[in-house]
């Protein structure tokens, strides 16, 4: 039975007392289960102290090499903590310190955050260690989500009604005869009558998916789940990744037929949805019956082929009819390349459903119709009208559907979180992403902005939390995990629309939450993660009740924390729980631990998105970085510079440091060949320069080059600081500050040749008395090492006749005083 939602207009699906009674009924041929309510309530204090495993919470499946890699640590420490990423062999491959986040409102935990995104290595069995505690193990791999993509979609095959589940496809534990085909004890779905007073005929409504843990089939839940599976293919096709969800990628009976397997699976439900349409010539022709299920709640556990109850059709509804119109219209455009006849059949059903809904706009499913199945009541269907119109318009381009879209009050409104009872956003996604939609450009831009604005809101919510969840702290209701997955889908759509990495990051971090980075340190997907759910509420995957039955198969998605505690097991075991911790892995906790097709559908969509191989980012060519870029070397002494790369090299890189020109007294004496790898590229290495003792009085200079294969080179200027007493130079210098402001100034320096011989090139030197630092210069090349400045002519102004002058300017910053320098040297000799 699918979820209660966050929306006030949705009611609980069933009375707890009625379901508990049903749960206690055994299937006809199976042993009776233990009493589900026989669990002593746990005191609130015990719940608060419940063991949730290691304090370090990670995505227990793992991380993509090119994706975000973040974790949460439960700690009350007020200062950052050290962390280490360790390989399966125990070696530390990365380390750092946590960021203190503090209180997480939804869980009550004090949290720190770890970010190891910069580690791009791959492997299995990594752990994250903080304060001596190691996380559950995880992998880092580009293929990380391939298995989950397949298994989360494979869930639907195993939920099929009206077909035998093949051991060769599902495994022997999950093989079973076809359910509800009229083979005793089944009454079957091939000739199902209406409830009393609804109709006077019976319909063949075989096939489709069992909705959730029960064996009902509901059009409004089938519509959204089908749309999401088909949309996952549409998105993959637009992204050029449709081969990954193409033919023979799933274990379904139709594999190898030339149609993508995900579309084969969705077709199983589409056929059922169209069978639920009221036939021509009958009252309400073209409408869709709301649901079909047992007259009373199916006992737990009960395999489908052993269900002996009478099945019943429930009154048609406008909401169900519009779900049929929307999903069938989507079918018509997506299936056309593979089966044009089926696509035409879908479009005919969609048109008839739209016409019937327009003629019957307020046929609402009652909230009281909850005997034997969920009510799925919905008292406001403007959103379904908008969604259906959008799908029909995207498929046909016809004016009647365009006008229905643009005249809807929802067309200009903000994007709401979507769910089975609130579907307008599905229409917006279609309008924003399907190529060739003929809305005006301004309309399309506004819809796309609506979606990205909603995504930004979810990212803001995530940023304020200790576990980065795209729902608010009061959003832990029935099916909260489906809210996480649906909101993450909007974030991923924003990535498709913009290409901005923050959206891909947000969608992937939402998966982190679902797969273990959460307050309970639990993966909510069976078979994925070291500590994963395995006792989801289900009628025939019911090992907890009957050891002869299997656990839910890998890829089954639990509903998640629900602070409403709307079943006896949750009430007994979770009293006093913080909202994000109101979950128990017990088959009886239907309000926290049920599975449902509309929960697995967004999980499958997200897994397919995450499994896409991204085009590798352009590998930047590393730059050789030398610090400082100019250095003074005392005559007879040495000076050092530091060298590293700006990015990891594609191959090991040895840097050659060599004098290119200038004074031969300056040379490299140590560190002439620093070597860098992908592991040490950011670690600075030392190069030593020396100036030989000589008899002249000139401060010689030399230029050095730094080169390396696969890296952009750099240059270094070294100036010898002569220790001999130089003769006075025939020069004078005027230093003038032209303008000054807080923290900065510009100045002009004028050199005058006071001698009798012309200068053929000049180098002017001085030392700032304060912390002035030149940022740029003009009419000279200026370098600075510490306080020492060297300014050289730039060729055209190098010749200065006797009595002539050469001027240049510069801009500099400072934080202390801005006292002018008092001593200047020309070509190494002090000006007289």
């Amino acid at each position: 039975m699918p979820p209660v939602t966050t929306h006030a207009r949705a009611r609980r699906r069933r009375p707890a007392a009625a379901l508990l009674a049903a749960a206690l009924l055994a299937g006809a041929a199976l042993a009776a289960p233990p009493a589900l309510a026989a669990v002593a309530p746990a005191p609130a204090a015990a719940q608060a102290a419940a063991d949730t495993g290691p304090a370090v919470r990670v995505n227990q499946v793992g991380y993509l090499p090119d994706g975000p890699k973040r974790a949460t640590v439960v700690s009350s420490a007020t200062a950052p903590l050290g962390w280490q990423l360790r390989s399966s062999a125990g070696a530390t491959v990365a380390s750092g310190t946590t960021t203190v986040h503090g209180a997480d409102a939804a869980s009550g935990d004090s949290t720190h955050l770890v970010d190891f995104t910069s580690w791009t290595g791959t492997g299995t069995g990594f752990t994250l260690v903080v304060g001596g505690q190691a996380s559950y193990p995880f992998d880092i791999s580009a293929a990380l989500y391939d298995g989950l993509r397949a298994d989360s979609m494979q869930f639907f095959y195993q939920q099929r009604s009206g077909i035998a589940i093949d051991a060769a496809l599902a495994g022997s534990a999950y093989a079973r005869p076809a359910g509800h085909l009229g083979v005793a004890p089944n009454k079957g779905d091939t000739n199902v009558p209406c409830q009393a007073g609804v109709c006077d005929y019976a319909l063949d409504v075989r096939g489709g998916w069992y909705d959730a843990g029960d064996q009902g089939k509901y059009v409004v839940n089938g519509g959204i789940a089908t749309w999401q599976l088909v949309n996952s293919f549409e998105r993959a096709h637009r992204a050029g990744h449709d081969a990954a969800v193409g033919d023979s990628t799933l274990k379904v009976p139709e594999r190898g037929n030339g149609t993508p397997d995900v579309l084969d699976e969705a077709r199983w439900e589409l056929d059922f949805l169209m069978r639920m349409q009221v036939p021509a010539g009958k009252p309400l022709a073209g409408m869709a019956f709301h649901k079909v299920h047992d007259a009373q709640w199916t006992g737990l556990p009960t395999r489908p082929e052993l269900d002996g109850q009478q099945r019943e059709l429930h009154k048609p509804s406008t909401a169900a009819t519009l779900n049929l119109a929307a999903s069938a219209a989507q079918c018509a455009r997506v299936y056309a390349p593979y089966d044009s006849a089926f696509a035409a059949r879908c479009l005919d059903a969609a048109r008839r459903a739209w016409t019937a809904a327009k003629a019957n706009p307020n046929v609402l499913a009652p909230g009281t119709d909850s005997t034997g199945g969920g009510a799925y009541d919905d008292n406001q269907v403007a959103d379904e009208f908008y969604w259906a119109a959008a799908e029909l318009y995207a498929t046909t381009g016809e004016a009647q559907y365009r006008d229905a879209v643009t005249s809807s009050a929802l067309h200009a409104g903000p994007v709401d979180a979507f769910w089975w009872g609130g579907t307008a956003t599905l229409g917006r996604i279609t309008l924003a992403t399907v190529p060739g939609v003929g809305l005006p450009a301004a309309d399309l831009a506004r819809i796309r902005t609506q979606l990205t604005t909603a995504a930004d809101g979810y990212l803001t919510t995530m940023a304020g939390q200790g576990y980065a969840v795209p729902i608010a702290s009061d959003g832990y209701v029935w099916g909260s995990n489906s809210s996480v997955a649906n909101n993450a889908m909007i974030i991923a759509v924003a990535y498709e629309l913009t290409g901005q990495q923050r959206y891909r990051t947000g969608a992937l971090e939402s998966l982190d939450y679902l797969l273990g980075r959460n307050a309970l340190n639990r993966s909510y997907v069976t078979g994925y993660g070291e500590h994963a759910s395995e006792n989801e509420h289900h009628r025939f995957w019911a090992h907890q009740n009957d050891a002869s039955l299997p656990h839910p198969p890998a890829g089954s998605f639990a509903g998640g924390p629900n602070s409403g505690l709307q079943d006896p097991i949750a009430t007994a075991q979770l009293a006093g729980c913080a909202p994000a911790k109101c979950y128990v892995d017990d088959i009886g906790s239907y309000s926290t631990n049920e599975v449902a097709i509309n929960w697995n559908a967004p999980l499958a969509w997200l897994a397919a998105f995450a499994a896409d191989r991204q085009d590798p980012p352009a590998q930047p060519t590393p730059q050789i970085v030398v610090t400082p870029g100019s250095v003074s070397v005392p005559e007879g002494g040495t000076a050092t510079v530091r060298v590293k790369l700006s990015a990891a090299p594609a191959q090991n890189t040895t840097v050659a440091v060599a004098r290119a020109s200038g004074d031969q007294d300056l040379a490299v004496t140590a560190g002439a060949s620093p070597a860098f790898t992908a592991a040490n590229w950011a670690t600075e290495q030392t190069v030593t320069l020396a100036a030989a003792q000589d008899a002249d009085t000139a401060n010689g200079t030399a230029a050095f080059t730094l080169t390396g294969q696969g890296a952009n080179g750099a240059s270094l200027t070294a100036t010898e600081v002569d220790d001999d007493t130089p003769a006075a130079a025939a020069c004078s210098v005027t230093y003038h500050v032209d303008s000054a402001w807080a923290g900065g100034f510009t100045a002009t320096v004028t050199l005058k040749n006071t001698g009798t011989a012309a200068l053929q090139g000049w180098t002017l030197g001085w030392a700032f008395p304060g912390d002035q630092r030149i940022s740029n210069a003009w009419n000279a090349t200026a370098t600075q090492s510490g306080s020492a400045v060297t300014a050289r002519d730039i060729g055209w102004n190098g010749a200065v006749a006797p009595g002539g002058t050469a001027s240049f300017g510069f801009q500099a910053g400072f934080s202390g005083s801005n006292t002018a320098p008092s001593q200047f040297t020309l070509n190494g000799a002090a000006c007289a």
Side-chain angles (χ1 to χ4, degrees):
M1 279 65 60
V4 166
T5 78
T6 59
H7 299 260
R9 63 190 174 99
R11 298 198 188 117
R12 280 187 54 207
R13 299 241 6 262
R14 61 269 168 105
L19 185 61
L20 180 60
L24 292 173
L25 296 175
L30 299 175
L36 297 181
V39 179
Q47 289 301 313
D51 180 16
T52 53
V56 186
R57 312 290 165 79
V58 298
N59 179 331
Q60 294 170 26
V61 176
Y63 300 89
L64 296 170
D66 65 345
K69 301 177 194 70
R70 299 191 179 100
T72 298
V73 181
V74 179
S75 174
S76 58
T78 57
L81 305 171
W83 60 262
Q84 301 86 41
L85 177 63
R86 294 183 182 172
S87 69
S88 58
T92 297
V93 296
S95 61
T97 56
T98 66
T99 299
V100 179
H101 174 79
D104 177 68
S107 66
D109 291 340
S110 294
T111 59
H112 289 223
L113 305 179
V114 175
D115 189 337
F116 56 107
T117 301
S118 61
W119 172 258
T120 57
T122 60
T124 61
F126 290 97
T127 54
L128 191 64
V129 180
V130 182
Q133 290 200 56
S135 69
Y136 289 122
F138 57 88
D139 299 342
I140 303 177
S141 168
L144 189 77
Y145 289 109
D146 290 3
L148 181 59
R149 174 179 56 198
D151 285 341
S152 57
M153 289 185 179
Q154 198 75 24
F155 168 91
F156 293 89
Y157 168 60
Q158 303 209 45
Q159 285 281 98
R160 285 191 191 185
S161 174
I163 186 174
I165 303 305
D166 189 345
L169 299 175
S172 58
Y174 298 97
R176 55 179 172 82
H180 298 102
L181 281 185
V183 177
N186 279 173
K187 302 295 191 297
D189 283 354
T190 56
N191 192 40
V192 180
C194 289
Q195 282 186 312
V198 171
C199 75
D200 59 0
Y201 55 91
L203 280 185
D204 177 359
V205 291
R206 69 187 186 277
W209 301 315
Y210 297 122
D211 179 66
D214 65 329
Q215 293 167 19
K217 299 186 293 187
Y218 307 83
V219 172
V220 294
N221 222 33
I224 187 174
T226 301
W227 183 90
Q228 286 183 298
L229 286 196
V230 176
N231 184 263
S232 74
F233 176 80
E234 285 191 282
R235 184 210 60 81
H237 179 71
R238 289 192 299 269
H241 298 296
D242 45 325
V245 288
D247 190 21
S248 298
T249 58
L250 297 177
K251 295 179 180 179
V252 294
E254 301 83 3
R255 60 188 285 124
N257 66 355
T259 298
D261 289 345
V262 64
L263 298 186
D264 285 326
E265 188 56 64
R267 180 170 178 164
W268 192 260
E269 180 73 4
L270 282 162
D271 277 328
F272 159 73
L273 294 176
M274 288 188 284
R275 291 188 184 108
M276 291 288 281
Q277 193 164 27
V278 176
K282 300 295 185 180
L284 300 177
M287 296 281 281
F289 286 98
H290 196 67
K291 57 180 180 169
V292 57
H293 54 66
D294 288 355
Q296 302 294 324
W297 284 103
T298 312
L300 174 68
T302 302
R303 282 168 50 131
E305 75 277 12
L306 301 177
D307 177 17
Q309 289 201 54
Q310 178 63 54
R311 309 279 275 180
E312 295 178 334
L313 288 170
H314 291 244
K315 181 182 176 181
S317 72
T318 306
T321 303
L322 291 167
N323 268 262
L324 171 60
S327 55
Q330 179 196 44
C331 160
R333 70 172 176 271
V334 178
Y335 285 76
Y338 307 101
D339 189 333
S340 60
F342 180 65
R345 179 180 154 217
C346 284
L347 185 57
D348 175 67
R351 290 183 185 278
R352 288 188 291 115
W354 174 260
T355 299
K358 293 284 285 183
N360 301 278
N362 292 300
V363 180
L364 305 179
T368 55
D369 187 14
S370 58
T371 300
Y376 279 103
D377 53 310
D378 187 353
N379 59 13
Q380 199 277 92
V381 294
D383 51 312
E384 282 86 2
F385 270 110
Y386 183 81
W387 174 33
E391 296 299 336
L392 281 159
Y393 180 53
T395 297
T396 69
E398 293 176 8
Q400 62 169 322
Y401 305 122
R402 179 199 63 214
D403 293 345
V405 166
T406 57
S407 64
S408 170
L410 295 170
H411 190 53
V415 168
D416 293 324
F418 67 87
W419 54 294
W420 62 261
T423 57
T425 293
L426 307 184
R428 292 189 181 98
I429 291 172
T430 291
L431 295 171
T433 59
V434 171
V437 171
L439 288 175
D443 248 17
L444 285 177
R446 179 174 45 75
I447 292 170
R448 289 167 178 163
T449 299
Q450 289 171 344
L451 290 164
T452 57
T453 298
D456 287 335
Y458 296 134
L459 295 184
T460 298
T461 297
M462 295 173 74
Q465 299 178 348
Y467 292 102
V469 196
I471 58 174
S473 59
D474 62 355
Y476 290 86
V477 296
W478 196 318
S480 64
N481 281 346
S482 71
S483 297
V484 171
N486 286 338
N487 293 350
M489 181 176 161
I490 292 177
I491 299 171
V493 168
Y495 174 69
E496 178 183 355
L497 294 175
T498 68
Q500 295 180 20
Q501 284 295 322
R502 72 176 187 274
Y503 296 123
R504 179 173 181 255
T505 293
L508 293 175
E509 283 206 87
S510 299
L511 274 172
D512 292 347
Y513 165 81
L514 297 173
L515 295 170
R517 185 191 167 193
N518 54 56
L520 293 176
N521 213 2
R522 172 183 293 277
S523 168
Y524 292 112
V525 182
T526 300
Y528 283 84
E530 190 80 5
H531 183 223
S533 298
E534 63 178 6
N535 293 308
E536 287 98 331
H537 180 81
H538 202 271
R539 290 301 188 278
F540 50 91
W541 302 327
H543 185 81
Q544 189 177 0
N545 282 157
D546 184 335
S548 70
L549 296 174
H551 290 292
S556 302
F557 189 28
N562 174 12
S563 60
L565 305 184
Q566 290 158 294
D567 65 71
I569 297 296
T571 301
Q573 296 191 27
L574 299 174
C577 56
K581 296 180 179 178
C582 293
Y583 168 86
V584 57
D585 184 26
D586 189 293
I587 195 170
S589 184
Y590 48 81
S591 72
T592 75
N593 203 33
E594 192 170 17
V595 297
I597 56 174
N598 67 310
W599 300 346
N600 252 79
L603 176 67
W605 195 104
L606 273 182
F609 170 82
D612 279 355
R613 301 299 195 272
Q614 300 295 306
D615 294 330
Q619 182 72 22
T621 300
Q623 173 70 48
I624 300 171
V625 180
V626 56
T627 307
S630 61
V631 64
S632 297
V633 185
E635 186 177 18
T638 61
T640 60
V641 295
R642 304 178 305 279
V643 179
K644 66 176 184 178
L645 301 184
S646 64
Q651 59 188 24
N652 292 348
T653 298
T654 298
V655 174
V657 186
R659 185 179 57 248
S661 61
D663 192 339
Q664 296 188 12
D665 287 344
L666 290 160
V668 179
T669 57
S673 303
F676 297 96
T677 68
N680 76 339
W681 60 270
T683 302
E684 291 183 320
Q685 300 188 48
T686 300
V687 176
T688 302
L689 305 175
Q693 191 73 50
D694 58 26
D696 64 43
T697 60
N699 289 333
T701 62
F704 292 81
T705 58
L706 295 87
T707 58
Q709 186 175 4
N712 293 325
S715 60
L716 165 67
T717 299
T719 301
E720 174 195 19
V721 180
D722 199 279
D723 59 1
D724 299 303
T725 302
C731 59
S732 64
V733 176
T734 303
Y735 178 97
H736 181 263
V737 174
D738 301 312
S739 62
W741 57 92
F745 68 100
T746 60
T748 298
V749 179
T750 301
L751 166 66
K752 182 176 181 179
N753 181 358
T754 60
T756 57
L759 294 173
Q760 301 300 325
W762 49 265
T763 299
L764 198 67
W766 72 86
F768 280 122
D771 64 354
Q772 297 98 323
R773 192 79 188 177
I774 293 176
S775 57
N776 60 81
W778 47 95
N779 297 332
T781 300
T783 58
Q784 185 172 350
S785 176
S787 63
V789 178
T790 302
R792 296 179 177 82
D793 67 80
I794 55 174
W796 64 266
N797 60 351
V800 184
T805 61
S807 296
F808 61 91
F810 65 84
Q811 181 175 325
F814 68 98
S815 60
S817 63
N818 189 22
T819 305
S822 57
Q823 298 291 327
F824 295 87
T825 61
L826 173 62
N827 298 333
C831 288

